[in-house]
Amino acid sequence: MKYTQLGRTGLKVSRLVLGTMNFGPQTDEADSHAIMDAALDAGINYFDTANVYGWGENKGRTEEIIGNWFAKGGERRDKVVLATKVYGNMAADGDAWPNHDKLSALNIRRAVDASLKRLRTDYIDVYQFHHVDRRTPFEEIWQAVDVLVQQGKILYVGSSNFPGYKIAQANEIAARLHGTIGLVSEQCLYNLAERRAEMEVIPAAQEYGLGVIPWSPLQGGLLGGVIKKEVEGGRRASGRAADSLANTTIRAQVQSYEDLLDKHGIEPGEAALAWLLTRPGVTGPIVGPRTAAQLDSALRAVELELSDELLTGLDEIFPGPGPSPEAFAW
């Protein structure tokens, strides 16, 4: 495994991030524990989750699965850089209550304590805001964060799904109020087929020293060889990938992508991850394996070297927006 610093911090994290969203809803606890053991054995030390994972009536279940894994011992907790998130309402569906969601100081305090209990740990390495809260001022958010840092409950703070201007606003206010480090990472939707983050989010993250953690690196399976799998009678596309393939222009793009990688003898999913590892500002993509085999495929991407010819071909199929602000200003 290869490692890098998380943004401008001294924290070393693996170039692949283990996403746990499938633990519980699609992968049972025993298999989830086996995947986490395999990830740790392979050198992945950055694990990502969220308080709402498990979804519906099972919100929090994913954190519980991770907590039970930590409780097995073997220095599991000590070896892991643990990241979780706050924002969504944790009440049972249809039973939402005021102040049980978003980023008020009250909910942040409540959510941290609940996550710590489920995770069976006394601290969270990277506590992430799952979404922008337009009604809570950053002055209030940073005051709540300062208390939690002083209590030793969290070490760093990151964002997820933030636009570039909110990254700038958050860190400018953190610096003005306390001179503290502010946000250290941003999780954003970013992959070969979805490159809008290059317009504002990634430039802002680089300017303020945030590590970029792309989620959905395969665009919901679209970049994982989905057409070839359909032809061979394997797993059919679903969700975002199926919706995208219904568009004939996108389907032609994906076919060209798969044909190019077949020419180079590279698996599409591994190429999509390897491409992200070449992008400026990217710390490491989140991989969310449902099985051990999917984890093995993701691990191969770390060692995959993409030629200049292949990188050029990928840009031709999935062109990015271009540098900011030139892409939209001139």
Side-chain angles (χ1 to χ4, degrees):
M1 181 53 58
K2 297 176 182 177
Y3 300 89
T4 188
Q5 307 301 128
L6 180 62
R8 65 195 185 284
T9 75
L11 188 65
K12 291 183 179 180
V13 295
S14 49
R15 296 294 322 265
L16 288 182
V17 181
L18 182 68
T20 62
M21 187 171 64
N22 291 320
F23 295 175
Q26 298 192 44
T27 307
D28 65 23
E29 181 160 338
D31 287 343
S32 298
H33 286 190
I35 290 172
M36 286 187 280
D37 281 333
L40 204 58
D41 287 344
I44 295 177
N45 75 335
Y46 198 3
F47 288 20
D48 176 77
T49 191
N51 60 353
V52 293
Y53 290 172
W55 310 110
E57 298 297 319
N58 295 308
K59 293 172 185 175
R61 177 60 182 145
T62 303
E63 287 188 332
E64 289 176 350
I65 289 172
I66 296 170
N68 293 340
W69 181 74
F70 285 147
K72 290 182 175 182
E75 298 184 325
R76 284 174 171 83
R77 178 64 188 95
D78 184 61
K79 292 178 179 178
V80 167
V81 174
L82 175 64
T84 192
K85 307 183 193 77
V86 58
Y87 182 85
N89 197 302
M90 292 297 292
D93 287 351
D95 191 29
W97 193 252
N99 300 313
H100 277 206
D101 63 357
K102 299 189 173 63
L103 303 180
S104 69
L106 175 60
N107 189 55
I108 287 175
R109 175 181 176 178
R110 175 189 293 117
V112 165
D113 287 342
S115 284
L116 290 172
K117 183 177 180 180
R118 287 188 294 266
L119 289 163
R120 300 176 72 170
T121 185
D122 56 3
Y123 72 101
I124 294 162
D125 297 287
V126 186
Y127 199 52
Q128 301 162 121
F129 308 135
H130 212 161
H131 200 279
V132 169
D133 182 352
R134 295 181 175 87
R135 294 192 174 184
T136 303
F138 279 113
E139 287 84 354
E140 176 181 346
I141 292 170
W142 287 126
Q143 183 182 52
V145 165
D146 287 347
V147 172
L148 296 175
V149 170
Q150 291 165 11
Q151 291 174 336
K153 293 181 178 180
I154 65 174
L155 303 182
Y156 303 93
V157 178
S159 58
S160 182
N161 306 307
F162 271 35
Y165 83 96
K166 281 294 182 180
I167 291 172
Q169 185 183 52
N171 276 19
E172 289 294 338
I173 291 175
R176 173 169 58 81
L177 287 178
H178 312 292
T180 54
I181 195 168
L183 299 173
V184 302
S185 63
E186 160 61 20
Q187 282 191 23
C188 58
L189 175 60
Y190 183 41
N191 55 59
L192 265 168
E194 175 49 84
R195 297 178 60 171
R196 285 178 292 177
E198 295 175 2
M199 295 285 284
E200 293 287 355
V201 175
I202 292 175
Q206 289 182 282
E207 184 73 20
Y208 284 93
L210 280 66
V212 175
I213 313 292
W215 61 265
S216 195
L218 304 187
Q219 187 67 355
L222 187 70
L223 302 173
V226 65
I227 296 177
K228 181 179 179 180
K229 291 175 183 177
E230 284 185 352
V231 171
E232 294 177 349
R235 182 168 177 255
R236 293 186 64 82
S238 60
R240 189 186 307 133
D243 293 342
S244 297
L245 288 180
N247 181 309
T248 56
T249 300
I250 294 177
R251 188 178 185 91
Q253 266 186 313
V254 175
Q255 186 66 69
S256 297
Y257 164 74
E258 292 188 14
D259 290 344
L260 174 65
L261 295 172
D262 186 58
K263 172 185 172 183
H264 286 265
I266 299 175
E267 290 297 318
E270 295 170 19
L273 290 173
W275 177 83
L276 280 169
L277 292 172
T278 70
R279 303 307 298 164
V282 169
T283 300
I286 298 174
V287 296
R290 296 185 304 276
T291 66
Q294 291 178 343
L295 176 61
D296 289 340
S297 176
L299 289 168
R300 288 192 292 271
V302 179
E303 298 298 327
L304 188 59
E305 296 288 340
L306 303 183
S307 67
D308 290 341
E309 176 190 358
L310 178 53
L311 289 170
T312 298
L314 292 172
D315 273 335
E316 290 172 351
I317 296 169
F318 296 111
S324 177
E326 290 83 354
F328 56 84
W330 300 331

